[in-house]
């Protein structure tokens, strides 16, 4: 099983370049970074994990800038977002950022998409909470038009773009309905989420990986009903606190990659965590 990592990189943690060097040298598969543009002080949205919102949420580095640094100092390490809050971006700008990072990294980029949990953060971007999922779907439609090989127009409910020259293109070629880099959608299991995954993504990025035994069969059914190749579905448990038993269970479910959680800390603490995870990378702990 491929083992990647995720971390809240901030202005107080290990740097992207130092971490990327260590990950590649140690054989980790990838680095995924979360995104928050800002955290409004006056906030009524509860922290999904419960309790006080951790300090690092309001200090995150821009994932595309940080991943660009990570890609520049490595040759094999995958880079990805976990997750991009697509509703909070101008889709024309986001399409350019994604395609550029994928091009410069040689096709190593994974676009992890999500719908968010912080109502106030999204509202400052002009996002209406009840329609955010359809807004993300529309954003993806527009970006796919810009990533198409030939100039392609798009007219959606929330945005449009004329047929345009837009380069660079993502490295991966279209596969089924998916255009662009490897694309994974985060979120809780359910028919709406699975419909999004089947329409415009390569798979699912479930946080923690709990409940996969029950949720994978309906996802695979929806995938097949959408005419997608059963062997192409990718499920990547995200922000996992790993154990040998947990990773073995993922492997039994046909999962080929897991993303483990690193502490949002300085170099010494992060390197200790990598030491602890190293047996899983080496195949000795799974």
């Amino acid at each position: 099983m491929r083992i990647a990592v995720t971390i809240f990189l901030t202005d107080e943690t290990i740097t992207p370049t130092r971490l990327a060097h260590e990950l590649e040298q140690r054989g980790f598969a990838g680095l995924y970074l979360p995104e928050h543009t800002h955290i409004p002080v006056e906030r009524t949205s509860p922290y999904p994990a419960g309790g006080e919102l951790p300090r690092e949420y309001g200090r995150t580095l821009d994932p595309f800038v940080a991943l660009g640094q990570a890609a520049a100092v490595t040759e094999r390490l995958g880079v990805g977002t976990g997750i991009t809050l697509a509703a909070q971006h101008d889709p024309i700008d986001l399409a350019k950022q994604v395609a550029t990072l994928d091009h410069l990294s040689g096709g190593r980029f994974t676009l992890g998409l999500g719908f968010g949990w912080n109502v106030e953060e999204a509202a400052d971007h002009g996002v209406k909470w009840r329609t955010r999922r359809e807004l993300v779907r529309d954003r993806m439609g527009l970006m796919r038009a810009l990533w198409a090989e030939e100039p392609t127009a798009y007219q959606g409910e929330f945005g449009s773009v004329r047929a345009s020259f837009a380069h660079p293109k993502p490295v991966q070629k279209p596969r089924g309905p998916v255009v662009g880099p490897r694309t994974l959608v985060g979120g809780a299991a359910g028919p709406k989420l699975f419909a999004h995954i089947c329409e415009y993504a390569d798979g699912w990025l479930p946080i923690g990986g709990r409940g996969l035994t029950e949720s994978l069969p309906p996802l695979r059914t929806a995938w097949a009903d959408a005419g997608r190749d059963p062997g192409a579905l990718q499920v990547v448990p995200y922000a996992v606190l790993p154990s040998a038993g947990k990773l073995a269970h993922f492997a039994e479910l046909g999962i080929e990659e897991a993303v483990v959680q690193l502490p949002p800390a300085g170099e010494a603490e992060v390197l200790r965590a990598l030491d602890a995870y190293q047996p899983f990378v080496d195949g000795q702990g799974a």
Side-chain angles (χ1 to χ4, degrees):
M1 179 179 294
R2 301 189 306 277
I3 304 296
V5 306
T6 183
I7 180 174
F8 277 85
L9 285 182
T10 76
D11 56 329
E12 300 175 326
T13 66
I14 189 172
T15 66
T17 53
R18 181 74 177 94
L19 178 57
H21 271 303
E22 284 289 335
L23 292 173
E24 181 149 284
Q25 290 176 3
R26 292 166 177 260
F28 283 83
L31 170 63
Y32 292 75
L33 299 181
E35 176 181 51
H36 284 285
T37 54
H38 66 299
I39 301 293
V41 174
E42 295 182 5
R43 178 176 57 83
T44 59
S45 300
Y47 174 44
E52 292 296 318
L53 184 69
R55 172 185 176 87
E56 59 266 20
Y57 276 75
R59 307 187 75 95
T60 54
L61 302 183
D62 178 277
F64 290 95
V65 175
L67 291 170
Q69 284 198 337
V73 298
T74 55
E75 296 179 352
R76 301 176 305 279
L77 185 73
V79 293
T81 53
I83 48 72
T84 296
L85 295 164
Q88 298 179 188
H89 285 267
D90 177 287
I92 300 174
D93 287 341
L94 182 58
K96 177 69 76 172
Q97 286 178 284
V98 167
T100 299
L101 181 51
D102 193 53
H103 169 74
L104 292 177
S105 68
R108 289 185 277 149
F109 181 63
T110 294
L111 176 61
L113 289 170
F115 308 104
W117 60 268
N118 191 325
V119 177
E120 292 75 26
E121 177 185 359
D124 284 348
H125 287 277
V127 176
K128 295 181 179 178
W129 194 247
R130 290 184 179 180
T131 59
R132 73 192 188 285
R133 291 178 181 270
E134 289 309 307
L135 176 59
V136 170
R137 177 176 178 268
D138 198 66
R139 295 274 196 261
M140 285 301 300
L142 192 153
M143 290 193 292
R144 280 153 52 196
L146 289 170
W147 294 332
E149 289 297 324
E150 298 297 330
T152 302
Y154 178 81
Q155 179 65 56
E157 180 180 357
F158 300 96
S160 63
V161 68
R162 297 172 175 85
S164 303
F165 299 110
H167 292 267
K169 301 297 184 185
V171 174
Q172 282 201 54
K173 298 303 180 184
R175 52 224 177 266
V178 183
V179 178
R182 181 190 189 216
T183 302
L184 304 173
V185 182
K192 289 185 178 179
L193 178 74
F194 292 167
H196 280 260
I197 291 170
C198 295
E199 180 180 350
Y200 57 75
D202 295 295
W204 185 23
L205 200 64
I207 293 180
R210 295 183 62 183
L212 288 178
T213 302
E214 295 75 28
S215 55
L216 280 182
L219 172 57
R220 286 170 172 154
T221 297
W223 187 266
D225 289 346
R228 303 292 299 273
D229 175 6
L233 175 62
Q234 301 178 46
V235 177
V236 181
Y238 188 78
V240 172
L241 298 177
S243 67
K246 186 181 294 185
L247 295 180
H249 176 59
F250 291 163
E252 291 172 357
L253 295 174
I255 290 169
E256 298 178 347
E257 179 184 357
V259 182
V260 301
Q261 182 72 59
L262 289 175
E267 182 173 318
E269 186 175 345
V270 169
L271 294 184
R272 284 195 295 271
L274 292 180
D275 288 340
Y277 293 157
Q278 193 67 53
F280 301 120
V281 176
D282 297 338
Q284 301 168 6

